[in-house]
Amino acid sequence: LDPYEVRVAAGVGRMRHEDANGPSDWGNKTDAAGRLALDILSVKAEIAVARMLNLAWTGMARRNTDVGNFLEVRAIQDRSRRLTARRKDENNTPCVLAFVEGDTVHALGWETFGVVRRDGVKMAGGAHGDYYLLDVLRPMEMLFGIVEWRREYETAEIKDFA
């Protein structure tokens, strides 16, 4: 990320952290300072994935998907972690798993939440109820193809009605 994107991530992460609509998505696993750091980490990952895919970053509003109005991003600090699907995640939504190391973000792969639930390991409890973990992800190259197809489809659809 460039310095401007890092500042944006810090500001939006802080706003998310202070959001009165409820607790952080990370639950109550860490202290307040730790949750703030994780909120900033998440925004860094979203901005980097949006740039990588040449899509709009749409995660500024709490209830939007993170990238391109159709894609979620999950940030991790440890490469051994797996993609998580929670109760609120819609089955057909694709999600990128991103490893964040300082201001550098590595997209590790992606999958839809429905596949995470179908093929992943079910874990009980947590701040948001039961959740599922999956460690075998599709390569990012496949997602690049899907993004390009969506871009062409939307352009064709606009031309059809012009």
Side-chain angles (χ1 to χ4, degrees), residues 68-116:
N69 283 320
F70 77 97
L71 182 67
E72 288 288 327
V73 178
R74 294 284 156 80
I76 58 173
Q77 299 178 83
D78 178 349
R79 285 182 186 264
S80 67
R81 295 270 315 265
R82 298 172 280 183
L83 184 57
T84 304
R86 299 174 299 225
R87 180 177 47 230
K88 71 175 188 163
D89 297 322
E90 295 183 23
N91 281 342
N92 62 346
T93 302
C95 183
V96 172
L97 183 63
F99 170 62
V100 182
E101 189 173 35
D103 297 336
T104 303
V105 179
H106 307 275
L108 302 178
W110 71 280
E111 191 50 84
T112 63
F113 289 125
V115 172
V116 174

Side-chain angles (χ1 to χ4, degrees), residues 19 43 62 65 71 93 160:
D19 187 353
V43 178
R62 187 138 173 89
T65 54
L71 182 67
T93 302
D160 288 343

Side-chain angles (χ1 to χ4, degrees), residues 127-138:
H128 300 281
D130 293 347
Y131 59 99
Y132 298 81
L133 299 172
L134 185 69
D135 58 0
V136 178
L137 304 175
R138 297 183 205 208

